[in-house]
């Protein structure tokens, strides 16, 4: 849009900017006049759902966000948690859903780039990436192209910047046919005395632009990400940003070098809404005004208007406030790295953002209103109905348990994701300890024995059935995955992906989801320190399954004492710890047997989770277990099969002698359980330790050979199981 600032603002122009009539009236009341076009654009992006969280803030405020380990909770570019010894971990997860559906390669790539900037703008060196991906049905005509583009985009950006991608998750479900989800997570390391914030404190200080030049890509990206799709969504392709990971690598090194010189007062990534959000948020947090001269902004396209420059979401750009007389030193650093450096304004005592271009004032706005006046809605919502619990005997038994195992592990839900993660460089930087394919990725704190464990999880079918319990399960699943490698869980980041909040049933899903998250985090001392909300994920009125992705981070005190899922030796015992109820509702086996997901998801008992988690961590650190894997999708038998494939060692499985049906025991998705591999001499001690905690535990098998076997079943060779497990995704993608 290139109208001059004096263009008449019509209702059609207001609607194009995503503002409803009552919101535009709110803007008129704030300004006391009609806005200029540039001012309308600025307010429209700052009031977008993506930037203002206007439908979610009232509920997000109920989450636990503090604790003795928390240095910085929500409100900054990323969360910061103490690791001891002067080290801290900086992390966040963020969505790039809409852009990735429209342009999968660039959408996913710039999602990775954006989340990395959120981390290193805090003073941290990025050390690990993760991602949570949701695609449509495998046979949907767009799925293959979207998977290919998204994975290639993630690999391109992460690999080129030299940051390892150490894990993630990928789901296929028809609910995402027209709205895929691409959630990117980044973890960085910093020193506690070298954390940088975004408050622009001080008057008469230079406002400095660094990084790439500004172009017309990404204009109105935040507004696009805050609207639902329709059949014309491909027309929004110009709102997708274009990334350059090589420039990002230079920007990381230049920023970290400048940060070591004590020259920076404040620094902010130019992410969603670009110059608009970075300037207004920095000024507001610092209690100052800002004068900007857009003639000084580095531009890569001719004839750019003030409107375009303020709303551009061109990538690899940062804004900073420098201490007096440090400009020359800072400029030398950025020019050494081949990056643009420009002083584009000054901080003032006016409390206003004044933007000029070619001698014309294009915007003159009150900073506090720009940053804080977005409406906060308490949207109508309805409590989700609680589903019925499915009894084990209601789900038919299979003809063969081991044949069913092979079919499940060779299908879209449980098949190997190797085709995806082998495209990612997970060993670059040389500190990766736990690779993709296990419960959690682990990277070493460079030069120490300490490690950071990272996991991301959610089971959307559970959340769709019961948003409160399903979200509670997502939180404890990350907690278990961190525990299973021997880490102390510290904190989470979240990515709340939901459909249209203006529909009461969708808003009800969100409210219940936040409630479940809060309950689990409080019980586990596992606070929420950062996050992202992505709403309006629907097309033509059809929304996605509610998908509150959870990213968990934990501390490994000694990386020489971590566990993984690989079976290690013949003749060891397999022990399952945790309650067995044979819960088949919403299970993958139920879908295999009945072609539907019905009933309530498996319940979570937080007291049991805490007891089992403490026991598992103690066993790992005492060196009493050879391998550990938590039970999740597919149940107990899938857990054992994954351990067997990872270690290339088979197992003889013992018959269950209780009252529950065998298929419910082997495929039930009961929560709070772990399978551990132990030497025969340690098995009884571990059973006794579990009994003392009032946790059920039993021996379920013995390792050895090259098959999985159980009485009354034809043995399943690991060769056959591996062939099925590894073939599905390459088959979908054509090799």
């Amino acid at each position: 849009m290139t109208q001059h600032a004096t263009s008449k603002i019509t209702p059609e122009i207001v609607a194009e900017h995503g503002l409803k009539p009552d919101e535009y009236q709110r803007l008129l009341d704030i300004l006391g006049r009609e806005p200029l076009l540039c001012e309308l654009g600025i307010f429209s992006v700052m009031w977008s759902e993506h930037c203002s969280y206007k439908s979610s803030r009232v509920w997000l405020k109920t989450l636990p966000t503090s604790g003795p380990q928390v240095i910085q909770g929500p409100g900054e570019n990323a969360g910061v948690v103490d690791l001891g010894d002067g080290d801290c971990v900086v992390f966040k997860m963020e969505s790039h859903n809409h852009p990735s559906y429209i342009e999968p390669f660039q959408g996913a790539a710039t999602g990775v780039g954006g989340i990395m900037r959120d981390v290193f703008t805090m003073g941290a060196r990025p050390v690990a990436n993760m991602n949570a991906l949701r695609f449509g049905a495998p046979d949907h005509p767009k799925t293959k192209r979207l998977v290919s583009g998204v994975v290639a985009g993630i690999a391109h950006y992460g690999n080129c910047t030299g940051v390892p991608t150490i894990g993630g998750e990928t789901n296929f479900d028809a609910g995402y046919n027209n709205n895929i989800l691409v959630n990117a997570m980044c973890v960085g390391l910093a020193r506690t005395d070298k954390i940088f914030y975004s408050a622009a404190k001080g008057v008469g200080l230079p406002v400095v632009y660094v990084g790439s030049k500004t172009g017309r890509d990404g204009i109105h990206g935040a507004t696009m990400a805050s609207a639902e799709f329709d059949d014309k969504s491909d027309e929004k392709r110009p709102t997708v940003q274009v990334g350059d990971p090589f420039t990002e690598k230079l920007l990381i090194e230049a920023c970290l070098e400048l940060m070591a010189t004590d020259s920076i007062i404040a620094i902010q990534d130019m992410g969603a809404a670009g110059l608009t959000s970075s300037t207004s948020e920095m000024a507001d947090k610092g209690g100052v005004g800002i004068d900007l001269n857009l003639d000084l902004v580095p531009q890569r396209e001719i004839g750019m208007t003030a409107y375009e420059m303020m709303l551009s979401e061109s990538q690899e750009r940062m804004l900073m406030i420098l201490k007096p007389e440090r400009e020359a030193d800072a400029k030398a650093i950025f020019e050494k790295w081949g990056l643009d450096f420009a002083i584009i304004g000054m901080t003032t005592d006016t409390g206003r953002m004044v933007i000029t271009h070619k001698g014309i004032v294009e915007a003159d706005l009150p900073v506090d209103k720009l940053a804080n006046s977005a409406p906060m809605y308490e949207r109508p919502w309805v409590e989700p109905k609680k589903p019925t619990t499915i009894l084990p005997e209601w789900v038919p038994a299979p003809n063969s348990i081991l044949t069913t195992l092979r079919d499940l592990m060779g299908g879209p839900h449980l098949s190997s994701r190797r085709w995806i993660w082998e495209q990612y460089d997970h060993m670059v930087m040389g500190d990766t300890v736990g690779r993709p394919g296990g419960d959690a990725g682990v990277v070493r704190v460079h030069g120490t024995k300490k490690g950071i464990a990272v996991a991301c999880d959610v089971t959307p079918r559970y959340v769709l059935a019961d948003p409160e319990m399903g979200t509670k399960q997502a939180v404890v699943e990350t907690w278990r995955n961190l525990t299973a490698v021997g880490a102390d869980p510290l904190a989470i980041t979240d990515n709340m992906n939901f459909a249209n909040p203006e529909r009461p049933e969708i808003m009800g899903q969100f409210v219940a989801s936040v409630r479940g998250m809060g309950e689990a985090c409080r019980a586990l001392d596992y606070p929420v320190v950062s996050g992202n909300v992505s709403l309006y994920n629907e097309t033509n009125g059809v929304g996605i399954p509610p998908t509150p992705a959870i990213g968990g981070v934990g501390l490994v005190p000694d990386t020489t004492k971590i566990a993984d899922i690989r079976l290690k030796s013949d003749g060891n015992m397999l022990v399952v710890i945790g309650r067995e109820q044979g819960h088949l509702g919403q299970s993958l086996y139920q879908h295999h047997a009945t072609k539907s997901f019905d009933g309530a998801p498996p319940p979570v008992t937080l007291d049991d989770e805490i007891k089992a988690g403490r026991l598992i961590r103690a066993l790992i650190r005492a060196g009493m277990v050879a391998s550990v894997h938590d039970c999740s999708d597919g149940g107990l038998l899938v857990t054992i099969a994954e351990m067997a494939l990872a270690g290339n060692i088979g197992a003889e499985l013992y018959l269950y002698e209780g009252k529950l049906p065998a298929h419910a025991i082997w495929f039930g998705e009961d929560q709070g359980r772990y399978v551990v591999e132990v030497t025969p001499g340690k098995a009884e001690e571990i059973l006794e330790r579990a009994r003392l905690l009032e946790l059920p535990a039993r021996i379920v098998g013995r390792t050895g050979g090259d098959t999985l076997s159980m009485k009354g079943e034809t043995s399943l060779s690991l060769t056959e199981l591996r062939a099925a497990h590894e073939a599905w995704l390459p088959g979908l993608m054509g090799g």
Side-chain angles (χ1 to χ4, degrees), residues 514-566:
V514 171
R515 193 166 62 219
M517 185 189 307
E519 183 182 344
C521 289
R522 278 184 284 270
L524 300 171
D525 293 325
Y526 195 37
V528 185
V529 297
S530 60
N532 173 249
V533 177
S534 174
L535 302 177
Y536 296 95
N537 288 288
E538 63 177 63
T539 297
N540 293 327
V542 179
I544 61 161
T547 310
I550 306 296
V553 169
L555 171 65
V556 178
D558 184 348
T559 52
T560 66
K561 297 178 180 178
I562 64 173
D564 61 36
I565 72 171
R566 294 177 296 119

Side-chain angles (χ1 to χ4, degrees), residues 206 208 257-258 261 263 320 322-336 341-343:
V208 177
E257 183 175 336
L258 182 61
T261 69
S263 299
M320 56 182 68
L322 295 182
K323 291 181 178 179
E325 301 179 359
R326 299 290 180 91
E327 298 95 328
D329 292 341
K331 183 177 182 180
I333 289 173
F334 280 88
E335 289 186 343
K336 180 186 77 172
F341 177 100
I343 298 170

Side-chain angles (χ1 to χ4, degrees), residues 478-496:
T478 66
W479 197 84
R480 281 197 300 269
N481 284 336
L482 299 176
T483 293
V485 299
D488 294 312
L490 292 175
I492 69 166
T493 182
D494 62 61
N495 208 142
M496 306 291 282

Side-chain angles (χ1 to χ4, degrees), residues 122 133 137 147 149 154 223 318 335 398 461 475 495 591 620 679:
M122 301 288 293
L133 312 177
V147 173
I154 291 170
T223 307
M318 308 284 278
E335 289 186 343
R461 64 182 184 277
V475 172
N495 208 142
H591 186 266
I620 292 171
T679 59

Side-chain angles (χ1 to χ4, degrees), residues 136-146 177-178:
D139 59 357
H140 189 271
K142 290 187 176 181
T143 295
K144 181 177 175 179
R145 180 183 67 85
L146 290 169
N177 278 351
N178 296 303

Side-chain angles (χ1 to χ4, degrees), residues 38-214:
C38 185
E39 293 174 329
L40 176 64
I42 286 171
F43 265 96
S44 75
V45 292
M46 291 301 292
W47 284 8
S48 69
E49 196 74 60
H50 190 75
C51 291
S52 73
Y53 289 31
K54 57 191 175 186
S55 297
S56 57
R57 274 183 295 163
V58 66
W59 300 106
L60 298 177
K61 289 179 179 180
T62 67
L63 292 170
T65 59
S66 61
Q69 73 273 41
V70 177
I71 295 173
Q72 175 64 53
E76 272 290 342
N77 288 288
V80 186
V81 176
D82 199 348
L83 296 175
D85 308 312
D87 295 315
C88 59
V89 60
V90 181
F91 64 101
K92 188 182 181 184
M93 183 186 284
E94 197 158 78
S95 62
H96 235 219
N97 303 333
H98 287 51
S100 297
Y101 182 74
I102 296 169
E103 202 342 284
F105 182 92
Q106 290 295 352
T110 52
V112 173
I115 197 63
M116 288 172 61
R117 286 193 299 280
D118 281 339
V119 166
F120 74 76
T121 193
M122 301 288 293
R125 178 173 291 280
V127 296
N129 288 331
M130 273 206 168
N131 52 74
L133 312 177
R134 323 281 164 188
F135 297 104
D139 59 357
H140 189 271
K142 290 187 176 181
T143 295
K144 181 177 175 179
R145 180 183 67 85
L146 290 169
V147 173
S148 179
V150 165
V151 172
I154 291 170
H156 173 67
Y157 212 102
N159 296 355
C160 290
T161 52
V163 178
T165 300
I166 62 171
E169 59 172 349
T170 303
N171 295 155
F172 295 89
D173 186 284
Y176 304 103
N177 278 351
N178 296 303
N179 282 90
I180 65 170
L181 302 185
V182 175
N183 296 169
M185 181 176 176
C186 182
V187 177
L189 274 171
R191 299 292 290 175
T192 55
D193 60 351
K194 281 287 186 180
I195 301 169
F196 289 81
Y197 298 96
S198 58
K201 296 179 180 178
V203 172
L205 300 173
V207 178
V208 177
Y209 171 121
V210 298
S212 291
K213 290 179 169 59
T214 294

Side-chain angles (χ1 to χ4, degrees), residues 566-575 625-627 649-652 654 676-683 699-704:
R566 294 177 296 119
L567 294 184
K568 301 300 189 298
S569 302
D570 289 354
N572 282 341
M573 311 308 292
L574 296 175
V575 177
V625 290
S627 62
I649 294 174
E652 176 192 0
Y654 300 161
V676 297
E677 176 194 4
V678 301
T679 59
K682 297 289 186 183
I699 297 172
V700 294
R702 179 187 293 269
T703 65

